[in-house]
Amino acid sequence: MGQLLRITAYDHRLDVMVEHVLILGVGVAFPLNLAICLITGVLLLLKKIQWKPLPPWLFLCNVGILIFQLIVTY
């Protein structure tokens, strides 16, 4: 996000919104995504839920987003 702001002609009018996006993206979305992936994985392993009713593409996309967030954050 910072790199994108440096490349474009950013005039700092939207600093408040950029701060909110960063806080929500790193501080809220990342922990929630991690928790959902862990809970779903554990429930699948314990056979409390089954793979068939769970939309597999949703879980795989969520895991992909989590991996991307881990790479970007750390």
Side-chain angles (χ1 to χ4, degrees):
M1 181 90 160
Q3 183 68 20
L4 180 66
L5 294 176
R6 284 191 289 275
I7 292 172
T8 61
Y10 181 64
D11 60 0
H12 300 280
R13 287 183 297 159
L14 301 173
D15 279 346
V16 174
M17 187 170 23
V18 170
E19 288 175 13
H20 286 310
V21 168
L22 290 175
I23 289 170
L24 289 175
V26 175
V28 176
F30 176 70
L32 285 177
N33 196 3
L34 179 63
I36 294 297
C37 285
L38 289 174
I39 290 168
T40 306
V42 167
L43 290 176
L44 281 169
L45 287 173
L46 294 175
K47 305 215 188 269
K48 297 286 183 185
I49 58 174
Q50 295 197 1
W51 186 258
K52 189 173 182 178
L54 181 72
W57 57 269
L58 181 64
F59 182 68
L60 293 176
C61 287
N62 204 13
V63 170
I65 291 169
L66 177 64
I67 291 170
F68 178 74
Q69 288 174 332
L70 283 171
I71 291 170
V72 170
T73 304
Y74 299 108

